[in-house]
PDB file of all heavy atoms in Angstrom:
ATOM      1  N   ARG A1068      15.009  -9.032  -9.078  1.00 91.00           N
ATOM      2  CA  ARG A1068      14.958  -7.841  -8.309  1.00 91.00           C
ATOM      3  C   ARG A1068      16.333  -7.150  -8.495  1.00 91.00           C
ATOM      4  O   ARG A1068      16.701  -6.330  -7.508  1.00 91.00           O
ATOM      5  CB  ARG A1068      14.719  -8.047  -6.829  1.00 91.00           C
ATOM      6  CG  ARG A1068      13.235  -8.378  -6.603  1.00 91.00           C
ATOM      7  CD  ARG A1068      12.566  -7.601  -5.396  1.00 91.00           C
ATOM      8  NE  ARG A1068      12.512  -6.308  -5.635  1.00 91.00           N
ATOM      9  CZ  ARG A1068      11.462  -5.550  -6.138  1.00 91.00           C
ATOM     10  NH1 ARG A1068      10.275  -6.408  -6.467  1.00 91.00           N
ATOM     11  NH2 ARG A1068      11.336  -4.304  -6.203  1.00 91.00           N
ATOM     12  N   HIS A1069      16.996  -7.281  -9.570  1.00 95.00           N
ATOM     13  CA  HIS A1069      18.162  -6.376  -9.892  1.00 95.00           C
ATOM     14  C   HIS A1069      17.642  -5.116 -10.539  1.00 95.00           C
ATOM     15  O   HIS A1069      16.837  -5.208 -11.442  1.00 95.00           O
ATOM     16  CB  HIS A1069      19.045  -7.173 -10.828  1.00 95.00           C
ATOM     17  CG  HIS A1069      19.620  -8.437 -10.276  1.00 95.00           C
ATOM     18  ND1 HIS A1069      19.977  -9.539 -11.084  1.00 95.00           N
ATOM     19  CD2 HIS A1069      19.952  -8.787  -9.027  1.00 95.00           C
ATOM     20  CE1 HIS A1069      20.450 -10.523 -10.381  1.00 95.00           C
ATOM     21  NE2 HIS A1069      20.301 -10.059  -9.154  1.00 95.00           N
ATOM     22  N   PRO A1070      17.998  -4.015 -10.084  1.00 96.00           N
ATOM     23  CA  PRO A1070      17.573  -2.713 -10.661  1.00 96.00           C
ATOM     24  C   PRO A1070      18.021  -2.595 -12.107  1.00 96.00           C
ATOM     25  O   PRO A1070      19.180  -2.954 -12.478  1.00 96.00           O
ATOM     26  CB  PRO A1070      18.205  -1.581  -9.823  1.00 96.00           C
ATOM     27  CG  PRO A1070      19.342  -2.358  -9.226  1.00 96.00           C
ATOM     28  CD  PRO A1070      19.010  -3.759  -8.958  1.00 96.00           C
ATOM     29  N   GLN A1071      16.997  -2.278 -13.006  1.00 96.00           N
ATOM     30  CA  GLN A1071      17.334  -2.162 -14.454  1.00 96.00           C
ATOM     31  C   GLN A1071      16.722  -0.956 -15.132  1.00 96.00           C
ATOM     32  O   GLN A1071      15.557  -0.656 -14.587  1.00 96.00           O
ATOM     33  CB  GLN A1071      16.848  -3.425 -15.222  1.00 96.00           C
ATOM     34  CG  GLN A1071      17.376  -4.791 -14.633  1.00 96.00           C
ATOM     35  CD  GLN A1071      18.798  -5.052 -15.066  1.00 96.00           C
ATOM     36  OE1 GLN A1071      19.460  -4.234 -15.872  1.00 96.00           O
ATOM     37  NE2 GLN A1071      19.340  -6.205 -14.708  1.00 96.00           N
ATOM     38  N   THR A1072      17.267  -0.412 -16.022  1.00 96.00           N
ATOM     39  CA  THR A1072      16.696   0.644 -16.836  1.00 96.00           C
ATOM     40  C   THR A1072      15.784   0.043 -17.703  1.00 96.00           C
ATOM     41  O   THR A1072      16.106  -0.763 -18.507  1.00 96.00           O
ATOM     42  CB  THR A1072      17.769   1.488 -17.486  1.00 96.00           C
ATOM     43  OG1 THR A1072      18.577   2.117 -16.514  1.00 96.00           O
ATOM     44  CG2 THR A1072      17.075   2.601 -18.375  1.00 96.00           C
ATOM     45  N   PRO A1073      14.527   0.475 -17.726  1.00 97.00           N
ATOM     46  CA  PRO A1073      13.449  -0.082 -18.559  1.00 97.00           C
ATOM     47  C   PRO A1073      13.672   0.281 -20.092  1.00 97.00           C
ATOM     48  O   PRO A1073      14.367   1.371 -20.345  1.00 97.00           O
ATOM     49  CB  PRO A1073      12.242   0.455 -18.213  1.00 97.00           C
ATOM     50  CG  PRO A1073      12.441   1.766 -17.353  1.00 97.00           C
ATOM     51  CD  PRO A1073      13.819   1.484 -16.876  1.00 97.00           C
ATOM     52  N   ASP A1074      13.123  -0.455 -20.979  1.00 97.00           N
ATOM     53  CA  ASP A1074      13.281  -0.151 -22.404  1.00 97.00           C
ATOM     54  C   ASP A1074      12.689   1.115 -22.752  1.00 97.00           C
ATOM     55  O   ASP A1074      13.160   1.921 -23.705  1.00 97.00           O
ATOM     56  CB  ASP A1074      12.556  -1.284 -23.255  1.00 97.00           C
ATOM     57  CG  ASP A1074      13.331  -2.672 -22.987  1.00 97.00           C
ATOM     58  OD1 ASP A1074      14.367  -2.667 -22.437  1.00 97.00           O
ATOM     59  OD2 ASP A1074      12.700  -3.588 -23.383  1.00 97.00           O
ATOM     60  N   ALA A1075      11.527   1.528 -21.987  1.00 97.00           N
ATOM     61  CA  ALA A1075      10.879   2.789 -22.307  1.00 97.00           C
ATOM     62  C   ALA A1075      10.277   3.168 -21.000  1.00 97.00           C
ATOM     63  O   ALA A1075      10.235   2.492 -20.042  1.00 97.00           O
ATOM     64  CB  ALA A1075       9.832   2.579 -23.346  1.00 97.00           C
ATOM     65  N   ALA A1076       9.647   4.372 -20.980  1.00 97.00           N
ATOM     66  CA  ALA A1076       8.932   4.935 -19.716  1.00 97.00           C
ATOM     67  C   ALA A1076       7.975   3.975 -19.271  1.00 97.00           C
ATOM     68  O   ALA A1076       7.070   3.570 -20.100  1.00 97.00           O
ATOM     69  CB  ALA A1076       8.401   6.365 -20.033  1.00 97.00           C
ATOM     70  N   PRO A1077       7.916   3.565 -18.036  1.00 97.00           N
ATOM     71  CA  PRO A1077       6.859   2.759 -17.511  1.00 97.00           C
ATOM     72  C   PRO A1077       5.490   3.387 -17.647  1.00 97.00           C
ATOM     73  O   PRO A1077       5.393   4.683 -17.647  1.00 97.00           O
ATOM     74  CB  PRO A1077       7.237   2.504 -15.963  1.00 97.00           C
ATOM     75  CG  PRO A1077       8.616   2.837 -15.869  1.00 97.00           C
ATOM     76  CD  PRO A1077       8.889   3.903 -16.970  1.00 97.00           C
ATOM     77  N   THR A1078       4.464   2.608 -17.742  1.00 97.00           N
ATOM     78  CA  THR A1078       3.124   3.115 -17.787  1.00 97.00           C
ATOM     79  C   THR A1078       2.282   2.695 -16.564  1.00 97.00           C
ATOM     80  O   THR A1078       2.709   1.687 -15.974  1.00 97.00           O
ATOM     81  CB  THR A1078       2.401   2.699 -19.041  1.00 97.00           C
ATOM     82  OG1 THR A1078       2.325   1.363 -19.030  1.00 97.00           O
ATOM     83  CG2 THR A1078       2.977   3.274 -20.363  1.00 97.00           C
ATOM     84  N   TRP A1079       1.440   3.453 -16.140  1.00 97.00           N
ATOM     85  CA  TRP A1079       0.637   3.227 -14.914  1.00 97.00           C
ATOM     86  C   TRP A1079      -0.824   3.396 -15.178  1.00 97.00           C
ATOM     87  O   TRP A1079      -1.257   4.227 -16.083  1.00 97.00           O
ATOM     88  CB  TRP A1079       1.090   3.991 -13.713  1.00 97.00           C
ATOM     89  CG  TRP A1079       1.138   5.388 -13.824  1.00 97.00           C
ATOM     90  CD1 TRP A1079       2.216   6.157 -14.171  1.00 97.00           C
ATOM     91  CD2 TRP A1079       0.050   6.304 -13.735  1.00 97.00           C
ATOM     92  NE1 TRP A1079       1.921   7.516 -14.172  1.00 97.00           N
ATOM     93  CE2 TRP A1079       0.466   7.709 -13.974  1.00 97.00           C
ATOM     94  CE3 TRP A1079      -1.362   6.164 -13.470  1.00 97.00           C
ATOM     95  CZ2 TRP A1079      -0.289   8.824 -13.949  1.00 97.00           C
ATOM     96  CZ3 TRP A1079      -2.159   7.456 -13.375  1.00 97.00           C
ATOM     97  CH2 TRP A1079      -1.566   8.642 -13.604  1.00 97.00           C
ATOM     98  N   ARG A1080      -1.710   2.589 -14.441  1.00 96.00           N
ATOM     99  CA  ARG A1080      -3.074   2.659 -14.531  1.00 96.00           C
ATOM    100  C   ARG A1080      -3.644   2.569 -13.225  1.00 96.00           C
ATOM    101  O   ARG A1080      -3.274   1.723 -12.498  1.00 96.00           O
ATOM    102  CB  ARG A1080      -3.662   1.554 -15.455  1.00 96.00           C
ATOM    103  CG  ARG A1080      -3.047   1.567 -16.992  1.00 96.00           C
ATOM    104  CD  ARG A1080      -3.465   0.402 -17.596  1.00 96.00           C
ATOM    105  NE  ARG A1080      -4.833   0.530 -18.212  1.00 96.00           N
ATOM    106  CZ  ARG A1080      -5.218   1.082 -19.249  1.00 96.00           C
ATOM    107  NH1 ARG A1080      -4.326   1.729 -19.939  1.00 96.00           N
ATOM    108  NH2 ARG A1080      -6.472   1.191 -19.666  1.00 96.00           N
ATOM    109  N   ILE A1081      -4.690   3.344 -12.903  1.00 96.00           N
ATOM    110  CA  ILE A1081      -5.423   3.285 -11.609  1.00 96.00           C
ATOM    111  C   ILE A1081      -6.864   2.830 -11.755  1.00 96.00           C
ATOM    112  O   ILE A1081      -7.466   3.449 -12.607  1.00 96.00           O
ATOM    113  CB  ILE A1081      -5.371   4.668 -10.982  1.00 96.00           C
ATOM    114  CG1 ILE A1081      -3.867   5.135 -10.681  1.00 96.00           C
ATOM    115  CG2 ILE A1081      -6.010   4.681  -9.576  1.00 96.00           C
ATOM    116  CD1 ILE A1081      -3.728   6.421 -10.040  1.00 96.00           C
TER     117      ILE A1081
END
Side-chain angles (χ1 to χ4, degrees):
Chain A
R1068 286 224 69 93
H1069 301 152
Q1071 302 284 357
T1072 296
D1074 299 345
T1078 58
W1079 52 263
R1080 305 175 72 83
I1081 298 178

